[in-house]
């Protein structure tokens, strides 16, 4: 396949695999162990690390934020930061 054709496939999203694609694919375990190690671990985060917490929120709050689509947890974080800015105490 030509480079231009490959580029067009990637521009169109994730192309469906053909029989040839499956036939030429390699299993993860057949890769060199050094590559497996690199693919198995996450790299350093580019943004500041956030702390994982568990909190209980009212169903109304969760429903309203979830209704805004993917990234709703980040929007809750932004709303809390905004509240802190408005209500900061020196």
């Amino acid at each position: 396949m030509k480079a231009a054709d490959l580029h067009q496939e990637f521009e169109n999203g994730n192309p469906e695999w053909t029989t040839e694609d499956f036939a030429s694919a390699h299993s993860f375990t057949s890769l060199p162990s050094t590559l497996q190690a690199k693919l198995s671990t996450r790299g350093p985060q580019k943004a500041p690390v956030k702390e994982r917490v568990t909190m209980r929120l009212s169903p109304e709050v969760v429903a309203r934020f979830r209704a805004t689509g993917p990234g709703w947890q980040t929007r809750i974080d932004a709303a809390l930061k905004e509240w802190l800015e408005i209500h900061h105490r020196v």
Side-chain angles (χ1 to χ4, degrees):
M1 181 176 281
K2 291 188 236 172
D5 293 335
L6 282 173
H7 177 73
Q8 187 60 42
E9 281 191 19
F10 284 109
E11 287 294 315
N12 292 336
N14 188 9
E16 194 168 319
W17 278 40
T18 64
T19 305
E20 293 82 23
D21 293 328
F22 281 105
S24 66
H26 297 278
S27 69
F28 181 77
T29 56
S30 71
L31 298 173
S33 59
T34 53
L35 182 56
Q36 287 182 34
K38 285 185 183 270
L39 294 173
S40 297
T41 58
R42 284 181 63 170
Q45 291 186 351
K46 294 179 182 173
V49 178
K50 294 182 178 178
E51 184 176 346
R52 178 181 292 269
V53 297
T54 300
M55 91 173 26
R56 295 179 180 274
L57 301 171
S58 67
E60 298 84 10
V61 169
V62 174
R64 291 280 296 271
F65 275 92
R66 274 192 178 146
T68 63
W72 62 272
Q73 298 97 328
T74 301
R75 286 188 288 282
I76 289 176
D77 184 60
L80 290 170
K81 286 179 184 176
E82 182 180 325
W83 187 92
L84 289 172
E85 285 295 317
I86 295 168
H87 297 88
H88 74 284
R89 299 189 200 277
V90 179

